[in-house]
Amino acid sequence: MTSYRVPAERDPARPAADRPLTVVVDGEPVTGTAGQTIAGVLLGAGRREWRTTAPGGAPRGVFCGIGVCFDCLVEVNGLRDVRACLRRAQDGDVVTRQGGPGEDR
Ligand code: FES
């Protein structure tokens, strides 16, 4: 079997250049790429935790990464309890840290 390299401009898996986006996280602009989840943007910016548990205030970020554990909850554009690992980031999103479900920070 012979492998060959597809030139980037003809690669069907990446038909267009990346489109940058910016979300505002706790008042600070964070850049990412269109198509990333909010968790992906946060992780790409070096953030590992963005929520605390209601009892004890333990830090949480991504645990399962597939929408099962709810560890990654954030407030997005005023809507609480959004799973950052499932919500695709949109340019201009305003993301705010929060505590556990129904809890303030
Ligand atoms: S990391 Fe588990 S639901 Fe998002």
Side-chain angles (χ1 to χ4, degrees), residues 38-78:
I38 289 174
V41 171
L42 292 171
L43 290 170
R47 296 174 184 238
R48 300 292 178 259
E49 56 91 7
W50 49 81
R51 180 177 83 77
T52 55
T53 58
R60 293 290 185 267
V62 170
F63 181 67
C64 72
I66 57 173
V68 176
C69 72
F70 290 76
D71 264 5
C72 62
L73 296 179
V74 288
E75 182 177 311
V76 180
N77 301 330

Side-chain angles (χ1 to χ4, degrees), residues 22-45:
T22 302
V23 299
V24 177
V25 182
D26 295 329
E28 178 181 320
V30 176
T31 58
T33 301
Q36 285 185 303
T37 61
I38 289 174
V41 171
L42 292 171
L43 290 170

Side-chain angles (χ1 to χ4, degrees), residues 37-39 65-68 72 82-88:
T37 61
I38 289 174
I66 57 173
V68 176
C72 62
V82 174
R83 286 171 284 178
C85 69
L86 296 183
R87 168 66 154 70
R88 194 163 292 196

